Amino acid sequence: MLKAKKRLMILLSMFLVFSIVGCGEKRPTFEPLNINVDGTEILLGQSTLQTFIDAGYRVTLDKSLEEDIAGEAMPTMTYDVAAYVSKDNSIVGMVSFLNNTKNTIPLEECIVNEYEIVYKDPSWSGSYDTDNILVDNVNLKGMKLEDVKKAFEEKMEDYKEFTNPDGSVAIISFDINKVYMSVSFDYETKEVRTVEMKVFLSHFE
């Protein structure tokens, strides 16, 4: 498992290098997005995986929560795609992280640049604990489309909607200070199902 991930990290590191140094143009700035995970403040695009660990969470590289990041290192200019943050065997979020330095560093020191909240996942029987997560001081659990729009209307940049075959909105996506957000809705209840937040690689020096 780790060997496969390391091969993937090497391939993705090439993409990160091109993203960071490729075109030489001025890159867009962003404001780290505040995510409060049951009292733990995470600044997306700035906080490291160590922030979770210091707050008593476990960070693993597999959904079964067995493959701990302890002792693992990230090569220079590398981007990884998946880790799971949990406490008491319940997942509070899925994250991606990167090393945008010129040195190899422990995974714990990598910057969290993506965070995904799952409120409903019928395809998995495991446990999620995502009831007490605030995104920019907003708890999206149980919200419907208009609730989301109202909650972020003052900060939301132009948004896009993607619809189901019946015309109902399946996903709404928008930016908040250059941080991308995608909110999906359950087809039956129309309530928020998942929230994905991402700081794109091109934003990092």
Side-chain angles (χ1 to χ4, degrees):
M1 183 76 163
L2 279 177
K3 289 182 178 179
K5 282 185 174 290
K6 286 177 180 177
R7 286 196 296 268
L8 179 60
M9 290 195 321
I10 291 171
L11 290 173
L12 290 173
S13 69
M14 296 172 62
F15 175 67
L16 179 58
V17 170
F18 288 131
S19 297
I20 294 174
V21 301
C23 62
E25 297 178 357
K26 185 177 181 181
R27 298 166 191 85
T29 59
F30 70 94
E31 290 185 23
L33 181 67
N34 186 296
I35 305 173
N36 190 295
V37 183
D38 201 17
T40 299
E41 183 181 63
I42 300 296
L43 295 177
L44 192 69
Q46 180 175 314
S47 297
T48 65
L49 292 174
Q50 186 66 47
T51 307
F52 288 112
I53 296 169
D54 290 344
Y57 290 95
R58 189 159 180 249
V59 182
T60 57
L61 297 174
D62 65 320
K63 204 170 185 178
S64 63
L65 311 181
E66 295 178 357
E67 198 174 337
D68 199 280
I69 66 169
E72 294 297 322
M74 184 78 111
T76 177
M77 298 296 188
T78 304
Y79 168 77
D80 195 21
V81 291
Y84 300 86
V85 181
S86 65
K87 182 179 284 188
D88 300 326
N89 292 316
S90 293
I91 293 174
V92 298
M94 284 73 77
V95 298
S96 291
F97 50 93
L98 60 87
N99 172 12
N100 65 330
T101 75
K102 295 181 179 180
N103 303 301
T104 296
I105 61 175
L107 294 193
E108 294 91 331
E109 296 179 14
C110 292
I111 294 172
V112 179
N113 72 301
E114 294 185 36
Y115 195 100
E116 183 180 6
I117 305 168
V118 176
Y119 296 108
K120 185 177 181 180
D121 183 3
S123 66
W124 190 59
S125 60
S127 176
Y128 289 98
D129 182 9
T130 52
D131 292 349
N132 299 310
I133 300 179
L134 304 180
V135 178
D136 199 32
N137 296 313
V138 176
N139 188 336
L140 287 91
K141 182 178 174 61
M143 282 190 171
K144 297 187 177 182
L145 176 63
E146 294 308 316
D147 301 321
V148 174
K149 287 182 178 180
K150 184 175 181 180
F152 295 102
E153 62 183 350
E154 293 185 3
K155 294 185 177 181
M156 182 188 296
E157 298 175 24
D158 291 341
Y159 65 85
K160 296 180 180 179
E161 294 180 352
F162 304 88
T163 58
N164 293 307
D166 65 355
S168 62
V169 174
I171 300 171
I172 181 174
S173 65
F174 52 90
D175 286 355
I176 296 180
N177 296 320
K178 304 301 182 184
V179 177
Y180 172 82
M181 284 189 63
S182 176
V183 183
S184 71
F185 299 89
D186 184 79
Y187 185 76
E188 295 180 354
T189 67
K190 311 304 182 187
E191 294 181 351
V192 174
R193 184 169 61 88
T194 63
V195 181
E196 180 185 2
M197 295 146 285
K198 178 187 301 185
V199 181
F200 287 107
L201 299 181
S202 58
H203 290 20
F204 290 90
E205 294 293 343

